[in-house]
Amino acid sequence: MECLPRREDSAHGTRGRGRRSSPRGRAGPAVRRALAVAAVVCVLVCLSILPVQGSSLLQNLVQWSDANFSFLSREPDGTEAVLRSPDYQQVEKTVSELTDRPVLPTWYPPGSSVVQVERHTVENGYYCVVVFSLNGEEFTLCVGIYDTVEDLPTRQYEKNKGPVEEYYANHISHYIMGNMERNTAVWRNGPTECSLHGFLSPDTLKRMIDSIYE
């Protein structure tokens, strides 16, 4: 026969007995205390990874010391770095004085920077070579601007075996070819002849070519 606990409803039956707290009632404060401790630990861990003198995970955005706080200036990169280069700006100025045709790219791969500019005085024209740095390698942009189409020299470009890809942009033929592990793009626009050489993929060369006419 199953035995059930007897319920004492009378005041006499409940007198003198302490009220028992339910397990749920005791668990509430314990859980809150555990969460509070975890939050404190999290804050301490986050603070512990911040180096001294304010160098933090946002060190590319801000800096501070005991006495000063400032936002860091963002270093130009890629296209911005190239277009800001005084040497490149001089090339732009010279090119604009010699021709009104689109000649120079307006987009460069991220990480590009101008290393040097070589200018050469040639008969009936102007010729320069812009040397860029990208990911530890160099690539070049060669620009030749002449008085007339007849003054254009006959240049030869080394290439790997196989066909040359003809890429059209602005109704102009641009020829892309491999040269050992590098790639080359060559084109003419009126009395100008330009070329790009280096460790640049065909897609990157096409993006640079497209930017000339944008």
Side-chain angles (χ1 to χ4, degrees), residues 51-72:
V52 182
Q53 298 298 329
S55 175
S56 69
L57 295 178
L58 299 178
Q59 59 185 349
N60 62 325
L61 299 177
V62 300
Q63 66 179 359
W64 67 86
S65 65
D66 291 338
N68 298 290
F69 171 91
S70 64
F71 288 95
L72 293 175

Side-chain angles (χ1 to χ4, degrees), residues 136-148:
E137 303 288 350
E138 291 185 347
F139 70 92
T140 59
L141 167 65
C142 303
V143 177
I145 304 175
Y146 298 87
D147 295 339
T148 66

Side-chain angles (χ1 to χ4, degrees), residues 88-153:
Y88 190 84
Q89 290 175 351
Q90 184 59 49
V91 173
E92 287 182 310
K93 182 176 182 296
T94 303
V95 169
S96 65
E97 291 173 350
L98 295 175
T99 181
D100 58 357
R101 297 175 184 271
V103 173
L104 301 174
T106 58
W107 178 87
Y108 289 89
S112 301
S113 61
V114 177
V115 176
Q116 66 180 10
V117 176
E118 303 171 1
R119 298 176 180 84
H120 304 275
T121 301
V122 295
E123 185 177 0
N124 299 325
Y126 166 83
Y127 187 80
C128 77
V129 178
V130 185
V131 182
F132 301 87
S133 174
L134 176 62
N135 299 328
E137 303 288 350
E138 291 185 347
F139 70 92
T140 59
L141 167 65
C142 303
V143 177
I145 304 175
Y146 298 87
D147 295 339
T148 66
V149 173
E150 288 72 21
D151 293 322
L152 284 166

Side-chain angles (χ1 to χ4, degrees), residues 107 109 165 167 176 183 200-211:
W107 178 87
E165 179 181 358
Y167 179 69
I176 299 175
N183 286 302
L200 302 170
S201 68
D203 287 341
T204 298
L205 290 172
K206 293 174 184 178
R207 177 69 184 89
M208 295 175 71
I209 290 169
D210 289 340
S211 74

